[in-house]
Amino acid sequence: MHIGMVGAGRMGSGLARRLVRAGHTCTVYDPNPAAVATLTADGIPAAGSLPELVAALPKPCAVWIMVPADLTGTVVDDLTPLLTAGDVVIDGGNSFYRDAVTRSHALSERGIHYLDVGTSGGTSGLDRGFCLMIGGPTEPVERLDPIFRALAPGIDAAPRTPGRDGAPGPAEHGYLHCGPAGAGHFAKMIHNGIEYGQMAALAEGMSILRAAGIGTTPTNPDQPAPTEAAHYTYDFDVPAILELWRRGSVVTSWLLDLTATAVHTDPDLTEFSGHVPDSGEGRWTARAAIDLAVPAPVLTTALYSRFASRDGAAYANKSLSAMRKAFGGHTEPVKTMT
């Protein structure tokens, strides 16, 4: 099949390359010539504009948009007049699922299909495959099945779940039509909310391991040794423990694999600032949990931890210091960044 790709960044280029590896044709467009250059150097064709991209595709055409969520609406608006009934727009970015519903309804009035495809796999997706969560009408999903199957990790990516028998379905290959418009991005939203929680739990556990020797050599003047200091005399080799956990433990995961690699390379993580952004999915997950009255304390707290990493708690912490001084006379030094 032949598909257009708008966006040649880390994810878009990986999608294009994986499709070509599987024998499909992918024409790419990105307003940044440097982003396209590495693909064209490998023989993947590029278009100089959106009209040129659409003109290069067979009808009915399919155009995959892989750009930041805040740019998706503009790309869809620019692309829509170039399309005709039967064409398919695929939004593979991390867009808000309600935006997907709105766009799907608007395009359907012109006979154009809109698929929201939550795409997970990161920069490793080129080799590992991309997990695809698909929302939208059935006909274009079935029409583009060869594209989704080529991008997905495949049946060998994980052992088969005990009790499953018969021919493996799409989910076992790593892609799934989750439901109507918005369903794909809703599933990806929850996926990323879970990701926040898993990342936070692993990071907190690593921090406790690193601090477990404070009983013998307290290094933080704001945190004296605990009363039962003899119980905190461990000098854990955190990279070695992560390596241990990768083998046979319940917390074994690809996330653990990636973390172990990072910590082995830089045990003190000096390369990183600790400033952790969020791209929206965690907030949307928390909002959905509130709307549905579903308790989600872990996912919500993980989101707040990201806010705190960006000094989002700085004023609140200063307020606490002011209260302690007011009622107890506690004076705390003002720290400066070095």
Side-chain angles (χ1 to χ4, degrees):
M1 297 186 74
H2 189 172
I3 191 170
M5 182 68 62
V6 179
R10 292 188 299 270
M11 291 288 284
S13 61
L15 290 164
R17 290 182 186 280
R18 189 167 174 87
L19 285 172
V20 171
R21 283 185 184 180
H24 297 284
T25 302
C26 186
T27 300
V28 299
Y29 165 70
D30 193 299
N32 179 7
V36 177
T38 58
L39 295 173
T40 55
D42 291 335
I44 298 176
S49 65
L50 283 178
E52 186 179 327
L53 175 70
V54 174
L57 302 175
K59 285 290 191 176
C61 71
V63 180
W64 189 302
I65 300 173
M66 205 68 193
V67 300
D70 58 346
L71 299 179
T72 301
T74 299
V75 174
V76 172
D77 290 343
D78 292 342
L79 186 61
T80 299
L82 307 174
L83 303 177
T84 56
D87 291 343
V88 184
V89 175
I90 304 165
D91 175 10
N94 286 324
S95 300
F96 188 33
Y97 78 96
R98 296 185 186 181
D99 291 337
V101 174
T102 300
R103 291 166 187 156
S104 176
H105 289 167
L107 289 181
S108 67
E109 295 179 356
R110 303 170 64 102
I112 301 169
H113 303 296
Y114 191 88
L115 302 182
D116 51 287
V117 181
T119 305
S120 181
T123 56
S124 298
L126 172 58
D127 296 315
R128 290 171 55 97
F130 296 90
C131 176
L132 305 175
M133 294 147 265
I134 307 165
T138 299
E139 188 276 325
V141 173
E142 293 179 345
R143 188 199 317 170
L144 295 174
D145 185 82
I147 294 294
F148 300 135
R149 185 164 294 228
L151 292 172
I155 190 66
D156 295 329
R160 201 165 196 201
T161 300
R164 282 190 174 270
D165 52 22
E172 293 182 86
H173 285 273
Y175 67 102
L176 181 67
H177 184 198
C178 298
H185 281 158
F186 192 99
K188 180 59 160 53
M189 175 183 77
I190 302 305
H191 166 282
N192 282 25
I194 293 170
E195 180 183 292
Y196 280 29
Q198 290 179 327
M199 292 172 69
L202 181 54
E204 290 173 9
M206 292 165 61
S207 296
I208 295 170
L209 288 172
R210 277 175 60 88
I214 195 173
T216 54
T217 56
T219 57
N220 184 351
D222 297 329
Q223 183 180 349
T227 304
E228 299 181 3
H231 292 292
Y232 300 99
T233 59
Y234 304 112
D235 182 15
F236 287 114
D237 183 340
V238 175
I241 289 179
L242 296 183
E243 201 62 38
L244 168 70
W245 286 350
R246 292 182 61 219
R247 292 165 172 81
S249 81
V250 172
V251 297
T252 298
S253 65
W254 181 36
L255 181 59
L256 180 60
D257 294 343
L258 296 173
T259 307
T261 299
V263 175
H264 173 72
T265 304
D266 181 7
D268 293 324
L269 300 176
T270 55
E271 178 185 348
F272 304 95
S273 67
H275 181 285
V276 186
D278 67 285
S279 54
E281 299 90 338
R283 302 182 189 213
W284 302 333
T285 299
R287 183 191 306 180
I290 292 170
D291 289 344
L292 299 171
V294 174
V298 172
L299 308 189
T300 305
T301 300
L303 173 64
Y304 290 158
S305 294
R306 295 197 177 198
F307 296 163
S309 80
R310 308 194 297 266
D311 292 330
Y315 187 78
N317 292 337
K318 289 180 181 180
S319 299
L320 293 175
S321 295
M323 294 176 206
R324 293 185 76 241
K325 182 176 181 180
F327 68 67
H330 305 287
T331 302
E332 300 164 359
V334 176
K335 295 183 179 180
T336 58
M337 298 298 293
T338 58

